[in-house]
Amino acid sequence: METLKGYIGRFIFQNEDNGYTVAEVVVEGEPHVCVGLMRGFSEGETVEMEGEYTVHPRYMEQFKISNIKAVPPEDKVALMRYLGSGAIKGIGNALAQRIVDYFGEDTFRIIEEEPERLAEIKGISGKKARDIAEQIVEKREMRNAALFLQQYGIGQNLADKIYQQYGNEVYQIIRENPYRMVEDIQGVGFKIADTIASHAGIRVDSDYRIRCGIIYELYQQTAEGNCYYPRELLMEKTAQLLGLEPEHIERQMMSLAMDQQIMLKKIRDEERVYPASYYKEEITCARKLLELRDSYEYPVVRSTDKKMMERIACIETSMEMKLDGLQREAVAECIKNGVFILSGGPGTGKTTTINAILKYLETEQMDFVLAAPTGRAAKRMTETTGYEAKTLHRLLEINGELAEGERRTNFERNEDNPLEVDAVVVDEVSMVDIHLLRALLAALIPGTKLILIGDVNQLPSVGPGQILKDIIDSGRFACVILEKIFRQAAESHIVSYAHKINKGETIDFSQKYRDFFLLAKDSPEVIYQYIEALVKEKVPKEFHIDPLESQILTPMRKGPLGSEALNRVFQARLNPASPQKKEYQYGDTLFRVNDKIMQIKNNYDLEWEIVGKHNITIAEGTGVFNGDIGTIQDIDDFSRIVKVRFDDGKLAEYSFQELEELEHAYAITIHKSQGSEYPVVILPILNGPKMLLNRNLLYTGVTRAKDCVIILGNPDTVLEMIHADLVQKRYTSLGERLTEIDIGMS
């Protein structure tokens, strides 16, 4: 750790949202480029900094600031420099000169301690002196708060967030209940608050600490996909987290239940703890699904099985398709019922069945809309059906409005403004969590037909719930699961091997086919070399695709074959640096022109356009969504923007501050690939955590491929995955709610 003392010559860049700054600080006459958090400081101000020198690949040597504080100017020159810099609004060079001439080297103390005396200077009125005093107080309070927070191990970035949230209340909050920050400040979790509380001397058995620990641990479990957690397990985990005996936890758990922050329920022999909102969402979803089922009325004149089968036969003829018995049953059941579920693996004729259903709805002159959870899944649905499909967020007209400084997700389509359609068709329902299901059902009026489609063997949603499985398992709705693999699909080893994997059957990897093969390799470095050769040369030549159309999928983020390491390796190999390619370093990520990138969060406000010939805009709109993949077209240092063209042709511009929404996509996790389809999928698999190396994950990865699957790694590990039916149990109760409510209604 080194210490530098100098004055801020100029700010090269400042992020107004988080205080991140690139500044030129003059130390003993020499300018030094310094980077870090410098909110509240001004050009010309004397500062003392702690940090270390780092070498940036583009901007060379920089001093990375870990701590910074203002120090009084040491002479008249420093005083003039500070006051004349514009640091204090209303004081320019001429006025600064008069102030320094009048007060001399006592100027800084006068400004800090007796600013009202500035009115003694000609040209400064009493009001102006008060304005200057207020600015001085505000700067001093912000800095004092930062120094106060540093005592509790709080860095500059977090200190800035805390002060913005609480102002001068920060002292009381830190000393009495820092756990309040967990709810109030994004990015502050229990462990950070607990560390602060420890520094502040708060007792380990404080009621605040225990309550916050319970909520933290419960939401840790919802992050794993659970809608509730067994009470005994939650008690154990919370006691372990807090280092306390269970009786302390029990008392505060009851208190939280009385405050309705959690729900305690005993179902048979299991005591459960729900976040209150999740409990209500499951009940609301169950009631609404049953209401849609029971309120739907199909015209009696057309409801006879004979007439329905005749209509289906006409559709087969007009669309030149041939349905088997189960597919015809699926169409008929769908038309007759208000809620219908269609499931099936690859090659079982799901797409053909969906198209027949849509044609039937069309002949009935029913208005319908198509939707899917992600942009890529919606695009794929559009391509396979010929009808426009939207993301569920766009269908429900997302409104990420700002409220109290935070962006909150709301939907314009809801109980008060429902969708005005006869039927809603949703694909890839395995990706839908309980929150999104609740939002969708809120926008449907009784009598609307709901058609849910998905593969129940795919990975469940990232968010809480296992919607498709719970609805099917409840047995309360018409459901058809397609199982027959059609002849043409059976010729695909992707399809046949996917079904073998799903059944836990061994695959002979000594056999290599054009569309599915495994290359046995025993080290990450060798795998890197083979992937590079495949992506650059062999795959493009064999399948007539661009190198970046191949997709590397991996079970994990960490490790030498995790997405983070693979992206670093293949950025260097597939898009190496050159003087012709602009770059920009954002945090630990170096973005480069021609990089393959992915949007990692929904941004409903980001504007995009599609440009045709002669650079004419042919379409425009807003919204880029989690999972969208594209390439960087340009990096503009002057305008501080990055231009990205997505796979669907949309061109969007990101400010440098928005780059947190992007990450490299040469390799992505299998979880991130859900709902997508790629011409060629490359799966590097050597070893890893047992819970990640399972059948469900491998099946999902394999079924993302359209033309070819290439596995590189250890055949034994892949076979272990096939035989490992280790899908982590999710604690959800939507199915139970459906059964309970339905029985109660009958």
Side-chain angles (χ1 to χ4, degrees):
M1 188 78 70
E2 297 187 50
T3 301
L4 293 183
K5 184 178 178 181
Y7 69 89
I8 300 171
R10 67 187 180 101
F11 290 124
I12 299 169
F13 166 72
Q14 277 193 305
N15 184 324
E16 293 300 326
D17 293 330
N18 59 24
Y20 180 81
T21 303
V22 180
E24 194 174 80
V25 179
V26 180
V27 180
E28 297 180 352
E30 292 293 327
H32 293 246
V33 175
C34 302
V35 298
L37 297 157
M38 301 175 71
R39 181 182 290 280
F41 292 87
S42 307
E43 291 180 355
E45 195 163 5
T46 305
V47 294
E48 187 174 280
M49 305 172 294
E50 290 182 343
E52 58 186 11
Y53 284 99
T54 60
V55 178
H56 187 283
R58 183 173 181 186
Y59 300 110
M60 307 306 290
E61 190 175 65
Q62 300 177 336
F63 186 78
K64 190 173 182 180
I65 303 166
S66 57
N67 285 297
I68 181 172
K69 64 180 180 180
V71 294
E74 295 177 340
D75 52 38
K76 287 185 177 182
V77 173
L79 282 166
M80 270 297 302
R81 185 189 302 121
Y82 173 58
L83 293 177
S85 68
I88 300 172
K89 189 177 179 182
I91 299 180
N93 283 319
L95 188 54
Q97 185 69 60
R98 292 204 299 275
I99 294 171
V100 173
D101 288 345
Y102 188 86
F103 292 113
E105 292 187 1
D106 203 28
T107 298
F108 195 79
R109 186 195 65 79
I110 295 292
I111 291 175
E112 287 276 315
E113 299 175 12
E114 302 177 74
E116 68 279 356
R117 287 191 58 194
L118 291 171
E120 298 173 17
I121 307 294
K122 184 179 179 181
I124 300 181
S125 65
K127 181 179 182 301
K128 190 167 188 175
R130 287 192 296 273
D131 288 342
I132 293 171
E134 287 174 4
Q135 291 182 61
I136 295 296
V137 168
E138 185 178 351
K139 281 177 174 288
R140 185 171 62 240
E141 286 178 348
M142 180 182 287
R143 286 179 182 155
N144 288 343
L147 289 170
F148 168 77
L149 293 169
Q150 283 177 17
Q151 301 173 57
Y152 302 100
I154 300 171
Q156 188 83 23
N157 190 18
L158 183 55
D160 192 54
K161 282 186 178 181
I162 294 170
Y163 185 77
Q164 285 186 67
Q165 177 72 28
Y166 299 125
N168 286 331
E169 286 185 75
V170 66
Y171 305 100
Q172 181 180 355
I173 289 167
I174 292 294
R175 290 181 177 126
E176 294 181 3
N177 180 21
Y179 297 100
R180 177 176 161 186
M181 293 189 297
V182 177
E183 295 181 14
D184 293 345
I185 301 174
Q186 187 176 9
V188 178
F190 171 79
K191 292 186 177 179
I192 291 175
D194 204 36
T195 301
I196 295 168
S198 176
H199 283 291
I202 291 174
R203 292 171 47 182
V204 295
D205 61 351
S206 154
D207 290 351
Y208 292 130
R209 181 172 187 259
I210 297 171
R211 287 165 67 93
C212 189
I214 294 168
I215 294 295
Y216 168 79
E217 196 59 62
L218 182 57
Y219 277 93
Q220 284 290 101
Q221 300 310 317
T222 64
E224 297 295 321
N226 300 306
C227 290
Y228 73 87
Y229 205 58
R231 183 172 179 168
E232 185 177 344
L233 293 178
L234 183 62
M235 294 268 289
E236 289 176 8
K237 286 183 176 291
T238 306
Q240 185 177 7
L241 173 73
L242 301 178
L244 296 172
E245 293 300 317
E247 55 263 25
H248 291 90
I249 315 300
E250 174 70 27
R251 185 170 62 253
Q252 293 305 321
M253 193 172 285
M254 296 304 297
S255 176
L256 286 168
M258 291 177 65
D259 291 344
Q260 297 189 330
Q261 291 191 51
I262 63 174
M263 298 292 289
L264 302 177
K265 293 292 173 183
K266 185 169 183 179
I267 310 295
R268 294 179 292 279
D269 296 330
E270 184 181 49
E271 291 187 275
R272 302 174 177 179
V273 185
Y274 293 80
S277 61
Y278 288 44
Y279 180 78
K280 292 172 185 174
E281 282 186 318
E282 283 197 335
I283 290 178
T284 301
C285 288
R287 286 176 175 160
K288 192 61 187 275
L289 283 166
L290 292 167
E291 180 184 43
L292 290 173
R293 181 197 67 181
D294 296 339
S295 62
Y296 178 76
E297 294 182 4
Y298 185 71
V300 177
V301 68
R302 304 192 189 100
S303 63
T304 66
D305 289 343
K306 181 179 179 182
K307 289 182 179 179
M308 192 169 290
M309 288 305 168
E310 288 173 355
R311 178 72 62 87
I312 293 171
C314 290
I315 289 171
E316 288 184 69
T317 301
S318 66
M319 298 184 71
E320 298 181 350
M321 63 169 64
K322 184 67 175 176
L323 303 177
D324 71 1
L326 196 56
Q327 288 176 305
R328 292 191 191 97
E329 180 187 338
V331 178
E333 287 298 309
C334 178
I335 300 304
K336 288 191 290 186
N337 289 278
V339 177
F340 173 73
I341 301 98
L342 177 67
S343 186
T348 57
K350 205 162 61 213
T351 298
T352 302
T353 307
I354 295 166
N355 286 329
I357 288 170
L358 296 178
K359 187 66 176 179
Y360 203 119
L361 296 177
E362 201 172 52
T363 61
E364 292 289 296
Q365 297 184 332
M366 295 177 70
D367 293 327
F368 58 84
V369 290
L370 277 58
T374 67
R376 291 185 70 87
K379 179 184 176 185
R380 194 173 163 202
M381 195 181 190
T382 299
E383 292 169 348
T384 57
T385 65
Y387 298 94
E388 181 191 6
K390 299 179 179 180
T391 64
L392 281 166
H393 292 85
R394 191 166 290 284
L395 176 69
L396 299 175
E397 298 176 18
I398 189 73
N399 175 15
E401 66 178 14
L402 281 171
E404 299 177 4
E406 293 185 10
R407 187 163 291 280
R408 298 178 180 176
T409 299
N410 294 300
F411 295 99
E412 295 292 338
R413 294 292 182 172
N414 50 39
E415 294 92 339
D416 300 322
N417 182 29
L419 293 166
E420 298 176 358
V421 293
D422 298 314
V424 175
V425 185
V426 184
D427 199 7
E428 298 288 355
V429 177
S430 61
M431 299 173 67
V432 175
D433 64 21
I434 192 69
H435 307 315
L436 192 52
L437 180 66
R438 165 70 182 87
L440 171 64
L441 294 175
L444 303 184
I445 61 173
T448 305
K449 178 187 289 294
L450 178 62
I451 303 167
L452 303 175
I453 304 160
D455 183 349
V456 76
N457 295 306
Q458 296 282 358
L459 290 169
S461 58
V462 174
Q466 45 187 4
I467 302 306
L468 187 63
K469 183 178 187 302
D470 282 354
I471 292 175
I472 291 174
D473 288 351
S474 75
R476 301 288 145 177
F477 305 96
C479 173
V480 171
I481 300 176
L482 302 175
E483 295 179 342
K484 175 185 173 182
I485 304 175
F486 285 85
R487 183 181 60 80
Q488 186 175 357
E491 295 172 0
S492 162
H493 291 93
I494 297 173
V495 171
S496 60
Y497 280 6
H499 285 275
K500 279 180 173 287
I501 291 167
N502 191 41
K503 294 175 183 176
E505 297 177 3
T506 298
I507 294 173
D508 181 4
F509 287 119
S510 66
Q511 299 293 317
K512 291 180 171 55
Y513 302 97
R514 180 179 182 271
D515 63 345
F516 199 117
F517 59 92
L518 182 148
L519 299 176
K521 305 299 169 192
D522 59 5
S523 77
E525 290 73 19
V526 172
I527 289 174
Y528 297 160
Q529 292 173 11
Y530 272 83
I531 291 178
E532 182 180 4
L534 287 165
V535 171
K536 280 184 173 179
E537 302 167 15
K538 296 182 180 181
V539 167
K541 183 178 179 181
E542 179 68 24
F543 294 97
H544 309 291
I545 61 174
D546 183 89
L548 292 185
E549 289 185 74
S550 297
Q551 186 59 59
I552 304 168
L553 299 182
T554 173
M556 62 206 84
R557 286 190 66 88
K558 303 294 183 181
L561 293 181
S563 60
E564 293 176 3
L566 288 167
N567 275 315
R568 287 193 296 270
V569 169
F570 286 101
Q571 180 193 37
R573 297 191 181 202
L574 301 179
N575 187 31
S578 81
Q580 288 73 42
K581 296 177 188 173
K582 295 180 182 178
E583 298 176 349
Y584 179 72
Q585 183 82 29
Y586 182 83
D588 296 330
T589 305
L590 178 64
F591 291 103
R592 181 179 296 143
V593 169
N594 295 337
D595 269 345
K596 184 177 182 179
I597 56 86
M598 178 171 62
Q599 177 82 11
I600 59 171
K601 61 189 291 188
N602 292 331
N603 184 331
Y604 309 106
D605 304 320
L606 188 65
E607 296 179 354
W608 54 262
E609 63 176 356
I610 297 176
V611 178
K613 289 183 178 180
H614 311 298
N615 209 32
I616 297 173
T617 300
I618 57 177
E620 56 188 358
T622 59
V624 179
F625 300 101
N626 187 2
D628 288 353
I629 288 179
T631 54
I632 294 177
Q633 302 291 296
D634 187 29
I635 297 174
D636 188 331
D637 289 321
F638 180 77
S639 301
R640 305 187 67 77
I641 60 171
V642 173
K643 295 182 180 179
V644 175
R645 187 179 302 279
F646 289 95
D647 289 352
D648 56 6
K650 294 174 181 173
L651 186 65
E653 294 184 354
Y654 292 77
S655 68
F656 282 1
Q657 293 95 324
E658 293 174 314
L659 292 179
E660 65 180 5
E661 298 183 7
L662 299 177
E663 67 180 23
H664 289 121
Y666 299 98
I668 64 176
T669 63
I670 294 173
H671 271 96
K672 281 285 189 183
S673 74
Q674 285 179 269
S676 301
E677 184 179 71
Y678 312 98
V680 175
V681 163
I682 299 172
L683 291 162
I685 299 172
L686 270 180
N687 47 46
K690 291 296 182 185
M691 281 309 301
L692 286 178
L693 300 180
N694 62 65
R695 180 190 307 168
N696 198 215
L697 201 71
L698 181 63
Y699 173 80
T700 301
V702 166
T703 55
R704 298 308 90 206
K706 181 180 179 183
D707 299 321
C708 182
V709 172
I710 304 169
I711 303 175
L712 296 101
N714 188 334
D716 292 337
T717 301
V718 179
L719 290 174
E720 287 173 13
M721 290 180 76
I722 293 172
H723 298 137
D725 192 12
L726 298 175
V727 180
Q728 187 173 353
K729 174 179 172 58
R730 288 200 170 192
Y731 293 101
T732 65
S733 49
L734 177 62
E736 292 175 9
R737 298 281 169 265
L738 286 164
T739 301
E740 291 168 4
I741 295 171
D742 197 28
I743 291 173
M745 292 166 56
S746 59

